[in-house]
Amino acid sequence: MSNTNIQQIIEKIFQLENQLKEDQYTKEQIQNFFSYHHYDVFILIYEPKTILKILQNHTWNIINNQKDILLPFDVIGYALFFKNDSEQLLELHKIVIDSKFRGRGLAFDFLSQILNDYKKLNYRKIFLEVSEQNLPAINLYKKLNFKIIQVRKKYYQNNIDAFVMTLDI
Ligand SMILES: CC(C)(COP(=O)(O)OP(=O)(O)OC[C@H]1O[C@@H](n2cnc3c(N)ncnc32)[C@H](O)[C@@H]1OP(=O)(O)O)[C@@H](O)C(=O)NCCC(=O)NCCS
């Protein structure tokens, strides 16, 4: 993938971030996720429905499809993971599905397939933090069998609590 293509993907992720009400990443932050080896960025392509894991050298692995992917493609979601490789632990920092495509099971499918991919790489456990007010996300994680293990009181702005959730994979 050329640098131009990576820039297009960064632009798409930035557009997805712009749909969020809070905690939006800047373009610079998104750029950095592609540079640090402890981050993995996955993107969800609409047609044909495909998940790409973007690698540090800006190539990609296709994790759910045998077909080659031709550019340009339509990015409709992304997920950002932080990896602790020494302990084989993961943190899910962000998952966003384009608002036009929500409520069709895409996030569930996307995360299920990513977790399956990590399992093959011998990762053991995944953690995340979520606002107590983000019901779509909490329900999504519960459907994936995540359990709440801790409540961080007044963790977010406006004294909103955070749930710490975890899943053994
Ligand atoms: C959270 C988010 C990723 C869910 O994406 P999605 O593709 O719409 O989710 P799915 O269609 O796969 O839904 C899976 C499950 O999540 C839950 N869910 C999804 N949307 C929901 C809603 N609006 N209200 C309540 N529960 C919801 C349900 O349990 C659903 O299972 P069900 O359809 O059997 O009821 C999406 O709403 C989003 O991008 N939100 C903005 C970003 C965000 O808050 N990300 C999470 C924190 S980083």
Side-chain angles (χ1 to χ4, degrees):
M1 187 167 13
S2 75
N3 215 24
T4 323
N5 297 330
I6 269 290
Q7 288 311 322
Q8 285 170 350
I9 289 175
I10 288 170
E11 187 57 44
K12 289 299 271 191
I13 291 176
F14 187 62
Q15 286 168 16
L16 291 171
E17 284 290 304
N18 275 336
Q19 293 181 356
L20 305 181
K21 291 188 210 90
E22 51 208 10
D23 296 329
Q24 297 168 357
Y25 293 133
T26 62
K27 254 188 217 175
E28 196 182 14
Q29 284 174 303
I30 298 166
Q31 187 102 43
N32 284 338
F33 298 140
F34 289 92
S35 315
Y36 295 127
H37 70 276
H38 40 254
Y39 284 110
D40 276 341
V41 181
F42 295 84
I43 59 172
L44 177 63
I45 294 168
Y46 183 48
E47 208 46 73
K49 205 164 125 193
T50 308
I51 299 168
L52 300 184
K53 181 180 188 177
I54 312 294
L55 305 176
Q56 286 326 231
N57 61 0
H58 293 177
T59 59
W60 61 57
N61 280 345
I62 300 175
I63 74 166
N64 65 334
N65 198 330
Q66 298 306 315
K67 291 182 197 146
D68 282 340
I69 297 301
L70 297 172
L71 289 160
F73 45 65
D74 209 0
V75 178
I76 59 159
Y78 94 101
L80 174 72
F81 287 80
F82 179 85
K83 297 179 291 185
N84 175 339
D85 286 335
S86 57
E87 300 184 52
Q88 298 294 92
L89 302 178
L90 298 161
E91 287 171 32
L92 173 57
H93 279 204
K94 189 74 84 94
I95 171 163
V96 183
I97 298 292
D98 186 323
S99 55
K100 296 192 291 292
F101 292 88
R102 290 180 195 163
R104 313 177 177 189
L106 286 173
F108 181 81
D109 209 28
F110 187 33
L111 281 183
S112 302
Q113 296 192 44
I114 292 170
L115 295 182
N116 206 23
D117 194 59
Y118 276 129
K119 193 175 176 171
K120 287 190 213 144
L121 298 171
N122 292 323
Y123 284 90
R124 304 182 287 118
K125 207 174 180 76
I126 173 161
F127 292 89
L128 60 84
E129 279 155 8
V130 60
S131 156
E132 57 160 352
Q133 299 198 339
N134 193 344
L135 206 58
I138 293 167
N139 286 346
L140 165 69
Y141 303 140
K142 282 186 175 164
K143 195 173 167 181
L144 286 157
N145 281 328
F146 279 82
K147 304 283 181 254
I148 297 172
I149 52 160
Q150 194 187 340
V151 180
R152 295 207 168 119
K153 289 282 175 198
K154 301 181 181 176
Y155 185 75
Y156 295 111
Q157 277 177 354
N158 302 328
N159 295 334
I160 293 168
D161 294 350
F163 293 150
V164 180
M165 300 181 78
T166 184
L167 173 72
D168 293 327
I169 56 177

